[in-house]
């Protein structure tokens, strides 16, 4: 989780600097020609870049612990999956040469989802009965009070 959080922060910082840098170049350094900026912002790859930055900002803001507490962990988890996939698509639409990285990201994402689903199925449907097939067997456990051990 530590590496995941810090990688996300670094990605957000680099993306924000990239966005601000290109905005300054196109909006301010090509002055007094506002048509250059308007033409630049109308291009499809820039629109995809803006959408990707918006999605990344959503991921960044909604991963703060205070926001997770406010909105609930389930909302965080499900929205994180969906928005992360949309972000990968936005990056791909922004710059087609990123496709090798986006394909690898998608493969890792879906492999992770598959193995988590497989793990859940093994935990919940681990026993196999020859007559009934796969049977749900809940985990057994014992409840003990810790002060009884003292």
């Amino acid at each position: 989780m530590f590496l995941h959080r810090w990688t996300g922060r670094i990605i957000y910082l680099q993306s924000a600097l990239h966005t601000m840098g290109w905005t300054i170049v196109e909006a301010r350094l090509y002055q007094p020609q506002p048509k250059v900026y308007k033409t630049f912002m109308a291009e499809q790859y820039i629109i995809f870049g803006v959408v990707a930055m918006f999605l990344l900002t959503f991921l960044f803001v909604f991963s703060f612990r205070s926001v997770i507490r406010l909105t609930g962990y389930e909302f965080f988890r499900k929205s994180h999956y969906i928005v992360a996939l949309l972000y990968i698509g936005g990056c791909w639409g922004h710059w087609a040469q990123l496709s090798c990285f986006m394909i690898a990201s998608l493969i890792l994402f879906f492999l992770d989802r598959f193995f988590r689903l497989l793990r859940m199925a093994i935990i919940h449907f681990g026993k196999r009965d020859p007559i009934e097939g796969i049977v749900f067997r809940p985990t057994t456990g014992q409840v003990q009070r810790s002060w009884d051990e003292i």
Side-chain angles (χ1 to χ4, degrees), residues 23-125:
T23 301
I24 290 169
V25 166
E26 295 293 332
R28 301 299 298 157
L29 299 181
Y30 282 134
Q31 291 299 323
Q33 302 166 359
K35 67 179 182 176
V36 172
Y37 184 69
K38 289 178 183 175
T39 305
F40 174 72
M41 288 305 291
E43 294 185 34
Q44 184 178 359
Y45 82 99
I46 296 303
I47 294 169
F48 271 109
V50 169
V51 168
M53 190 63 207
F54 174 76
L55 294 169
L56 188 58
T57 302
F58 178 90
L59 285 172
F60 183 69
V61 170
F62 279 81
S63 66
F64 293 147
R65 289 184 183 165
S66 58
V67 178
I68 293 171
R69 271 189 242 112
L70 186 66
T71 59
Y73 180 75
E74 285 301 313
F75 173 78
F76 161 74
R77 199 174 77 127
K78 301 298 184 202
S79 67
H80 207 74
Y81 294 155
I82 294 167
V83 174
L85 283 175
L86 291 173
Y87 169 71
I88 290 171
C91 287
W92 197 337
H94 175 60
W95 201 251
Q97 288 81 356
L98 291 174
S99 63
C100 58
F101 299 108
M102 299 300 106
I103 291 169
S105 298
L106 288 171
I107 288 170
L108 285 175
F109 179 85
F110 286 116
L111 278 176
D112 177 61
R113 295 290 97 215
F114 172 75
F115 284 118
R116 284 179 186 254
L117 186 65
L118 181 65
R119 177 180 171 262
M120 184 188 69
I122 290 170
I123 288 172
H124 285 85
F125 303 105

Side-chain angles (χ1 to χ4, degrees), residues 127-144:
K127 292 258 181 169
R128 187 169 180 86
D129 191 311
I131 297 170
E132 298 178 44
I134 296 176
V135 179
F136 175 78
R137 299 278 189 241
T139 303
T140 58
Q142 291 181 319
V143 177
Q144 295 179 342

